[in-house]
Amino acid sequence: MKIAALIRAYHRPEQLGLLLDRLDGPLWAPFVHIDRKSDIELFANLRNKAPFLTNRVQVNWGGLSQVEGVLRLLRAALRDPTITHFYHMSGQCYPVKSDDQIRERIARFPVGSANLMELTAMPVSHKPLERYTRRWLHDVQNPIAWRILSRLFPRMPDKSLSKLRGIALHGGGAWWLFERQTVEKMLQFLDENPWYWRLFKYTDCPDEMLLHSLVAPLGITIGGTSPTADTWIQGKAHPETVTESMHRGFVEGPALFGRKYIDFHPALT
């Protein structure tokens, strides 16, 4: 077993360094994407710890650019034929289990079902259909285009679900672990069906529904929920930062990783 750690980061290079040091073992093959808006030189002393993608994306929170960064990580990692699993994480994640425990947990799943992802049919309260049917401006960075589209979009009718060609929208968290065959299926579908990608251009948080919605039509088996634990408060846009007591709960629970580590960090205690 070899797991590609697909790490998206944009700041806190010291914290990214702690994560890369922890993933320096035979179980892991880390790959790093740094937001193109960030100064890559801040991460210069980490480049000997993992491959850093050179074809970087300007990542805008809530936009399709988030998924583009993930796909570039997936394609880079897929070139290594020894990698069996792909784990999407941020630079503010950190393992809450030992490598032996992580390996044992994943190995328990029958072949074809070691795909761990939070998945629910939309709409639900925290994943409304408006994320898809309305048009959002997260990736519109040109100020002139933003002014025009901010007036135009509210006058346009909501997008029809019929353009999804029978694919039912599903949502869930952005942090998941997939088997190699799952990644190959998803990338093949996206390469052969560019219409699907275009439908998510002006959506809200497609990183929480674009891949999720492909699970059923591609016949992918989800063996469990997200392998990454975090703590959310209803109505907030971001998870709570991890405290020491939260971390103890993550360690005692089923998760493999926890997030979002900022003030407290287990590597520094």
Side-chain angles (χ1 to χ4, degrees):
M1 182 184 298
K2 192 176 204 180
I3 307 172
L6 311 173
I7 305 169
R8 288 196 297 120
Y10 68 96
H11 68 341
R12 300 182 183 273
E14 299 85 1
Q15 191 163 344
L16 177 59
L18 295 174
L19 176 59
L20 292 175
D21 286 343
R22 169 61 181 80
L23 300 180
D24 183 22
L27 182 62
W28 299 100
F31 295 80
V32 182
H33 177 274
I34 301 297
D35 188 340
R36 199 171 68 196
K37 298 192 303 293
S38 303
D39 182 0
I40 193 66
E41 290 307 312
L42 296 176
F43 301 85
N45 65 338
L46 302 178
R47 291 181 189 172
N48 64 332
K49 298 178 183 291
F52 278 63
L53 270 59
T54 56
N55 58 336
R56 298 156 60 205
V57 181
Q58 177 176 312
V59 177
N60 305 305
W61 185 89
L64 189 57
S65 53
Q66 289 187 297
V67 188
E68 179 60 35
V70 177
L71 296 189
R72 295 189 184 192
L73 284 165
L74 282 170
R75 294 184 192 279
L78 200 59
R79 297 189 190 106
D80 182 343
T82 68
I83 290 174
T84 58
H85 298 78
F86 300 76
Y87 194 153
H88 179 221
M89 61 187 70
S90 80
Q92 294 172 293
C93 294
Y94 201 77
V96 295
K97 300 290 188 296
S98 69
D99 284 358
D100 286 343
Q101 290 172 315
I102 292 172
R103 184 184 293 105
E104 180 184 356
R105 164 89 187 281
I106 296 172
R108 290 178 193 164
F109 291 95
V111 174
S113 65
N115 300 297
L116 307 180
M117 170 187 255
E118 179 193 1
L119 188 68
T120 186
M122 295 173 64
V124 290
S125 60
H126 59 294
K127 298 282 189 297
L129 287 179
E130 287 80 3
R131 285 191 170 194
Y132 173 83
T133 58
R134 294 182 183 174
R135 293 167 180 84
W136 304 76
L137 297 168
H138 300 302
D139 279 328
V140 180
Q141 298 301 299
N142 181 292
I144 297 176
W146 195 94
R147 285 198 297 272
I148 294 171
L149 294 176
S150 65
R151 296 172 183 173
L152 175 63
F153 282 173
R155 302 175 185 175
M156 298 176 66
D158 285 354
K159 291 187 296 183
S160 172
L161 297 177
S162 65
K163 291 187 176 181
L164 286 164
R165 306 184 188 183
I167 295 177
L169 285 176
H170 284 70
W175 318 108
W176 37 256
L177 181 141
F178 289 150
E179 292 180 327
R180 186 179 188 91
Q181 185 180 29
T182 296
V183 172
E184 291 171 340
K185 283 184 177 181
M186 286 184 166
L187 292 181
Q188 181 179 355
F189 178 88
L190 293 173
D191 289 341
E192 295 177 353
N193 298 276
W195 60 269
Y196 181 78
W197 178 264
R198 290 193 296 268
L199 289 178
F200 288 86
K201 182 174 181 181
Y202 293 113
T203 57
D204 180 38
C205 298
D207 61 319
E208 297 182 355
M209 59 179 169
L210 187 150
L211 296 181
H212 303 66
S213 299
L214 292 180
V215 167
L218 295 182
I220 294 166
T221 299
I222 298 298
T225 192
S226 171
T228 301
D230 48 21
T231 302
W232 288 85
I233 293 179
Q234 184 71 24
K236 288 193 175 183
H238 303 284
E240 298 297 287
T241 59
V242 179
T243 63
E244 186 173 359
S245 62
M246 284 182 194
H247 173 71
R248 286 197 298 269
F250 294 164
V251 171
E252 295 167 0
L256 307 182
F257 276 61
R259 74 180 299 270
K260 176 178 181 180
Y261 290 97
I262 295 181
D263 298 320
F264 168 80
H265 199 287
L268 300 177
T269 57

